Amino acid sequence: IISVFYSCFAVLYNRNDISFGIPLLNRSSIIAKKTLGHFASVTPFWFKFGLDISFNDLMTKIKENLIKTYRYQKISYGEINN
């Protein structure tokens, strides 16, 4: 789906750098899973590919980018600002 959004926005706005905020659930530990409350956060993803990339290559590169970015999903905004 992200590949489709990227393709549409890239053509519509004639840009090759697009960013999305993707919501992620942050209930990885057993204690967090038993705790009541909302544990979601929005992780920014920035994609910069050319407008001339094939759709298959685009999907592969987005997948690689997402996997790299998922490493940092547990870092809070407070830790980033300090």
Side-chain angles (χ1 to χ4, degrees):
I1 292 176
I2 296 170
S3 302
V4 173
F5 283 135
Y6 178 87
S7 299
C8 289
F9 289 137
V11 171
L12 186 64
Y13 296 110
N14 195 26
R15 297 193 57 135
N16 63 352
D17 61 331
I18 308 287
S19 62
F20 296 105
I22 300 176
L24 299 172
L25 300 177
N26 287 330
R27 290 188 182 256
S28 57
S29 69
I30 293 174
I31 294 171
K33 289 179 183 178
K34 293 181 179 180
T35 305
L36 294 176
H38 185 63
F39 280 76
S41 66
V42 176
T43 301
F45 291 96
W46 179 57
F47 305 107
K48 185 173 183 177
F49 309 116
L51 297 173
D52 56 346
I53 189 170
S54 73
F55 193 74
N56 286 335
D57 290 341
L58 177 64
M59 287 192 309
T60 302
K61 290 188 178 202
I62 286 178
K63 176 186 167 188
E64 292 168 356
N65 194 319
L66 289 174
I67 289 170
K68 287 179 189 175
T69 308
Y70 282 145
R71 272 188 280 181
Y72 305 107
Q73 72 181 351
K74 294 180 185 168
I75 298 174
S76 68
Y77 292 118
E79 291 178 60
I80 294 172
N81 289 333
N82 290 333

